[in-house]
């Protein structure tokens, strides 16, 4: 209980710092970026929190994309508490999602957490569309959310998805299949983990409204140190046949490491251009 109390205090302080930085940011850059009210959700990976996405969020603020950032805290029971407010007509608002139960590797449960955050924000502010950036296992949580809401006509419509360091067919040293193979033409990874096999339903249900950018790091050995590129690129097989568009971006260099991708200025620029660029 004490841990959760202090975690909440730290998150509140970080939010205040982010919003203070927002106030000092340059005016919105309407020449380079769309002036949309569509919200963008940032989802962190296993064992992490909203702070992990803050570097990219700050980069968006500094670029003049937005001045509005709030935090959605998702409790273990699925209830969502919002910190901060989105003013009416706010341009390109960002929601940093913080999963309190951040070491749960049950993707079904994680998918419910993700859905709860999206629905809470969209119902509160009457949003009909949304965008997503997810890092590492946050991608699995989001895709399971899409699976669970495939037939939910009231669920908001996905416009863009940025997948970063995705663990679609396993993680090195944990659940990656032995002798992992990848079909460059189809994008399918084999053998399939049980979770990847379940995600194949997305080939028939993934939102046709969405454009997808898949970012992965390559340290020169075909991995980002924690995830094999074959696993990260396996997203293609799940969504490319239905998504409005699908593209991949391979990142190299020391900052292509799994835990550094979301602190990489090159990635910031690519992500900002894809999500908000005109």
């Amino acid at each position: 209980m004490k841990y959760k109390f202090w975690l909440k205090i730290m998150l509140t302080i970080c939010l205040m710092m982010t919003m203070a930085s927002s106030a000092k940011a340059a005016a919105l850059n309407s020449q380079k970026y769309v002036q949309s009210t569509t919200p963008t959700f940032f989802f962190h990976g296993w064992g992490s929190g909203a702070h992990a996405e803050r570097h990219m969020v700050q980069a968006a603020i500094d670029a003049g994309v937005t001045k509005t950032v709030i935090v959605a805290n998702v409790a273990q029971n699925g209830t969502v508490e919002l910190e901060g407010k989105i003013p009416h007509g706010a341009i390109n608002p960002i929601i940093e999602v913080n999963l309190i139960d951040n070491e749960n590797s049950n993707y079904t449960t994680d998918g419910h957490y993700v859905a709860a955050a999206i629905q809470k924000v969209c119902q509160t502010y009457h949003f009909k569309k949304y965008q997503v950036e997810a890092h590492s296992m946050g991608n699995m949580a989001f895709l399971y959310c899409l699976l669970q809401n495939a037939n939910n006509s009231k669920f908001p419509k996905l416009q863009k998805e940025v997948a970063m360091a995705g663990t679609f067919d396993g993680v090195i040293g944990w659940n990656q299949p032995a002798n992992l193979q990848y079909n460059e033409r189809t994008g399918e990874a084999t053998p399939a983990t049980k979770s990847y096999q379940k995600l194949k339903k997305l080939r028939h249900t993934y939102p046709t409204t969405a454009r997808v950018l898949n970012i992965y790091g390559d340290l020169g050995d075909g991995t980002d140190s924690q995830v094999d590129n074959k696993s990260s690129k396996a997203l293609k097989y799940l969504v490319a046949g239905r998504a409005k568009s699908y593209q991949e971006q391979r990142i190299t260099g020391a900052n292509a490491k799994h835990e550094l991708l979301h602190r990489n200025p090159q990635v910031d620029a690519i992500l900002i251009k894809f999500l908000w660029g005109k």
Side-chain angles (χ1 to χ4, degrees):
M1 294 297 294
K2 288 184 178 180
Y3 168 77
K4 291 184 177 179
F5 172 79
W6 286 111
L7 176 62
K8 186 173 182 180
I9 294 295
M10 292 173 64
L11 287 169
T12 301
I13 292 172
C14 288
L15 173 63
M16 292 174 64
M17 292 174 64
T18 299
M19 296 183 77
S21 298
S22 302
K24 298 177 182 178
L28 295 178
N29 191 331
S30 60
Q31 292 185 330
K32 291 183 66 175
Y33 307 115
V34 295
Q35 302 298 284
S36 170
T37 57
T38 300
T40 301
F41 293 81
F42 280 65
F43 292 101
H44 60 78
W46 188 90
S48 189
H51 63 277
E53 310 303 299
R54 195 145 290 141
H55 173 90
M56 293 182 293
V57 171
Q58 189 61 51
I61 293 169
D62 293 342
V65 168
T66 188
K67 291 184 177 181
T68 305
V69 180
I70 69 169
V71 172
N73 292 304
V74 185
Q76 191 169 10
N77 64 4
T79 58
V80 182
E81 179 182 331
L82 302 181
E83 295 184 27
K85 293 184 178 180
I86 300 177
H88 179 72
I91 300 301
N92 302 324
I94 293 176
I95 299 90
E96 298 175 344
V97 179
N98 183 65
L99 305 183
I100 302 302
D101 185 19
N102 64 356
E103 294 186 353
N104 193 327
S105 55
N106 183 319
Y107 299 139
T108 298
T109 300
D110 296 340
H112 290 310
Y113 290 156
V114 166
I118 294 172
Q119 289 175 312
K120 175 69 172 183
V121 171
C122 290
Q123 289 172 2
T124 300
Y125 295 102
H126 309 292
F127 294 129
K128 303 297 184 183
K129 303 175 181 179
Y130 71 106
Q131 304 186 142
V132 162
E133 179 280 329
H135 179 257
S136 191
M137 285 189 184
N139 290 286
M140 299 298 286
F142 176 63
L143 291 186
Y144 268 71
C145 162
L146 291 183
L147 275 183
Q148 293 159 3
N149 290 279
N151 298 316
N152 183 356
S153 61
K154 295 182 179 181
F155 201 80
K157 304 302 180 185
L158 177 64
Q159 301 301 293
K160 292 182 180 180
E161 175 190 355
V162 176
M164 190 178 303
T167 59
F168 305 108
D169 197 23
V171 177
I172 296 171
W174 179 46
N175 65 339
Q176 177 178 300
N179 193 30
L180 184 62
Q181 302 295 313
Y182 179 75
N183 187 314
E184 292 287 349
R185 182 180 63 81
T186 66
E188 183 178 16
T190 52
T193 60
K194 290 182 179 179
S195 54
Y196 184 60
Q197 188 65 37
K198 289 181 180 179
L199 287 178
K200 290 182 179 180
K201 293 178 182 178
L202 289 171
R203 289 170 54 79
H204 306 290
T205 63
Y206 187 83
T208 57
T209 54
R211 299 184 184 278
V212 181
L213 171 61
N214 188 3
I215 300 174
Y216 64 94
D218 185 353
L219 295 175
D221 60 355
T223 81
D224 67 5
S225 77
Q226 296 187 37
V227 185
D228 194 302
N229 292 167
K230 300 183 191 74
S231 179
S232 293
K233 292 168 67 176
L235 176 64
K236 177 181 177 179
Y237 184 73
L238 304 178
V239 308
R242 285 183 56 88
K244 199 168 186 178
S245 67
Y246 175 85
Q247 57 182 296
E248 295 176 350
Q249 183 69 56
R250 173 175 168 264
I251 305 298
T252 59
N255 286 337
K257 198 171 182 180
H258 185 82
E259 64 272 24
L260 298 180
L261 272 179
H262 50 41
R263 298 178 181 275
N264 184 328
Q266 180 186 2
V267 172
D268 294 341
I270 293 169
L271 177 143
I272 289 171
K273 182 177 180 180
F274 177 78
L275 287 175
W276 300 289
K278 284 188 173 180

